[in-house]
């Protein structure tokens, strides 16, 4: 039986330890949001293994963010290694302009500090880190030094996942990234927020449960049908009909 959480599934101590590099980056003045598994666990209550600390920054500040982290945390060094989730069989990375820092210090890594940091251009996930309406802080209690660190809101995170599924970086589709990263995130967010192992619909009426309907609130109009379909069927297929619907919404938006 699954356990559903009303708070982060990890301790405040672990959250504080994981966010050490984020506190360092904050001192640079570079705007950013925490993405990936840390966002799922810390603010959306999804129990998940924590891999790279994934940080989205403005596209033109990726190098500056890396340089600042290396200056302040020299134990982290740039590496070309990437998680299997980001690579196709031919070795092409789904996030080609991201930069990864790996712990390579001779001293022991601080407790709960991430093994690696992934600095990602915000456009790779169709996100605007400067739009504060699309991000939020941690849920109390938390260490006061973490109070200004931002994470995607639920609608913003769902939009980022769905937008990236339909519009991958450089138009290049990556099966591993879509199935092992984006689709997994989407499934976890729905499961642990609808909080019903039997699905997102009422078995008698076939209507979405109230918690499922709530996930549609605040989404970009072009993503509502896809998420509604996913919650009803469990399918992550991007059918021609769904693509056409997104295109209609795009064309209807004012220039």
């Amino acid at each position: 039986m699954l356990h559903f959480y009303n708070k982060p599934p990890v301790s405040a101590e672990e959250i504080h330890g994981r966010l050490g590099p984020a506190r360092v980056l904050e001192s640079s003045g570079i705007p950013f949001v925490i993405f990936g598994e840390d966002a799922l666990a810390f603010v959306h209550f999804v129990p998940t293994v924590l891999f790279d600390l994934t940080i989205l920054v403005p596209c033109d500040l990726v190098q500056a963010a890396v340089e600042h982290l290396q200056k302040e945390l020299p134990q982290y060094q740039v590496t070309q290694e990437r998680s299997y989730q980001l690579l196709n069989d031919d070795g092409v990375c789904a996030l080609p302009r991201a930069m990864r820092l790996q712990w390579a210090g001779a001293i022991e890594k601080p407790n709960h500090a991430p093994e690696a940091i992934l600095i990602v251009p915000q456009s790779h996930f169709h996100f605007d880190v400067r739009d504060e309406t699309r991000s939020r802080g941690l849920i109390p209690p938390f260490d006061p030094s973490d109070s200004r660190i931002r994470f995607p809101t639920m609608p913003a995170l769902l939009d980022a996942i769905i937008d990236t599924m339909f519009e991958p970086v450089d138009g290049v589709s990556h099966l591993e990234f879509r199935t092992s990263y984006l689709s997994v995130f989407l499934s976890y967010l729905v499961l642990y927020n609808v909080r019903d192992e039997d699905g997102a619909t009422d078995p008698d009426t076939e209507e979405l449960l109230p918690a499922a309907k709530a996930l549609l609130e605040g989404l970009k109009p072009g993503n509502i049908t896809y998420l509604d379909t996913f919650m009803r069927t469990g399918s992550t297929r991007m059918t021609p009909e769904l693509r056409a619907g997104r295109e209609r919404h795009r064309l209807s938006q004012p220039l």
Side-chain angles (χ1 to χ4, degrees), residues 15-28:
I15 291 173
H16 185 65
R18 285 282 299 184
L19 294 179
R23 293 191 296 276
V24 169
L25 185 58
E26 186 183 13
S27 69
S28 72

Side-chain angles (χ1 to χ4, degrees), residues 131-151:
D131 183 353
E132 294 188 359
T133 69
R134 304 288 278 173
S135 64
R136 55 163 300 163
L138 289 166
I139 290 86
F142 52 79
D143 191 284
S145 63
D146 296 327
S147 63
R148 292 184 297 276
I149 296 174
R150 307 291 289 181
F151 303 79

Side-chain angles (χ1 to χ4, degrees), residues 151-196:
F151 303 79
T153 63
M154 179 63 77
L157 186 51
L158 290 169
D159 276 332
I161 292 168
I162 297 170
D163 284 345
T164 307
M165 294 175 83
F166 279 91
E167 302 173 47
V169 181
D170 299 334
V172 179
S173 180
H174 289 69
L175 179 61
E176 188 67 40
F177 180 58
R178 194 172 73 243
T179 56
S180 297
Y181 191 96
L182 298 173
S183 294
V184 169
F185 282 13
L186 184 63
S187 298
Y188 280 0
L189 285 169
V190 169
L191 175 60
Y192 283 96
N193 284 273
V194 173
R195 304 167 71 87
D196 192 319

Side-chain angles (χ1 to χ4, degrees), residues 50-246:
L50 303 176
F51 295 101
D52 294 1
L53 177 67
T54 302
I55 303 176
L56 307 189
V57 302
C59 299
D60 60 342
L61 294 176
V62 171
Q63 185 65 43
V66 169
E67 290 175 359
H68 182 79
L69 287 170
Q70 285 195 291
K71 177 183 177 183
E72 301 298 326
L73 298 172
Q75 298 88 354
Y76 285 101
Q77 296 296 316
V78 174
T79 176
Q80 298 305 312
E81 293 184 5
R82 296 292 184 270
S83 164
Y84 77 92
Q85 299 166 307
L86 305 183
L87 299 175
N88 265 359
D89 290 341
D90 55 8
V92 175
C93 183
L95 304 175
R97 287 175 285 286
M99 296 185 69
R100 188 171 187 256
L101 297 163
Q102 181 90 30
W103 179 269
I107 62 174
E108 185 177 354
K109 183 169 63 66
N111 196 29
H112 301 306
E115 187 67 34
I117 309 163
L118 190 67
I119 305 296
V120 183
Q122 62 181 14
S123 65
H124 281 15
F125 285 104
H126 304 272
F127 202 95
D128 180 359
V129 301
R130 291 187 171 95
D131 183 353
E132 294 188 359
T133 69
R134 304 288 278 173
S135 64
R136 55 163 300 163
L138 289 166
I139 290 86
F142 52 79
D143 191 284
S145 63
D146 296 327
S147 63
R148 292 184 297 276
I149 296 174
R150 307 291 289 181
F151 303 79
T153 63
M154 179 63 77
L157 186 51
L158 290 169
D159 276 332
I161 292 168
I162 297 170
D163 284 345
T164 307
M165 294 175 83
F166 279 91
E167 302 173 47
V169 181
D170 299 334
V172 179
S173 180
H174 289 69
L175 179 61
E176 188 67 40
F177 180 58
R178 194 172 73 243
T179 56
S180 297
Y181 191 96
L182 298 173
S183 294
V184 169
F185 282 13
L186 184 63
S187 298
Y188 280 0
L189 285 169
V190 169
L191 175 60
Y192 283 96
N193 284 273
V194 173
R195 304 167 71 87
D196 192 319
E197 292 183 63
D198 294 325
T201 58
D202 185 307
D204 296 323
T205 66
E206 298 185 352
E207 290 294 315
L208 290 176
L209 297 172
K213 290 180 180 178
L215 290 179
L216 300 175
E217 297 176 2
L219 281 189
K220 295 177 182 178
N223 290 335
I224 291 174
T225 300
Y226 180 80
L227 183 58
D228 184 290
T229 301
F230 170 73
M231 290 193 293
R232 292 179 185 278
T233 67
S235 172
T236 58
R237 289 184 60 225
M238 296 171 288
T239 64
E241 293 79 11
L242 288 169
R243 290 185 181 276
R246 280 175 57 89

Side-chain angles (χ1 to χ4, degrees), residues 35-53:
F35 203 77
E37 292 87 1
D38 294 82
L40 266 68
F42 299 170
V43 298
H44 299 301
F45 305 164
V46 174
T48 180
V49 177
L50 303 176
F51 295 101
D52 294 1
L53 177 67

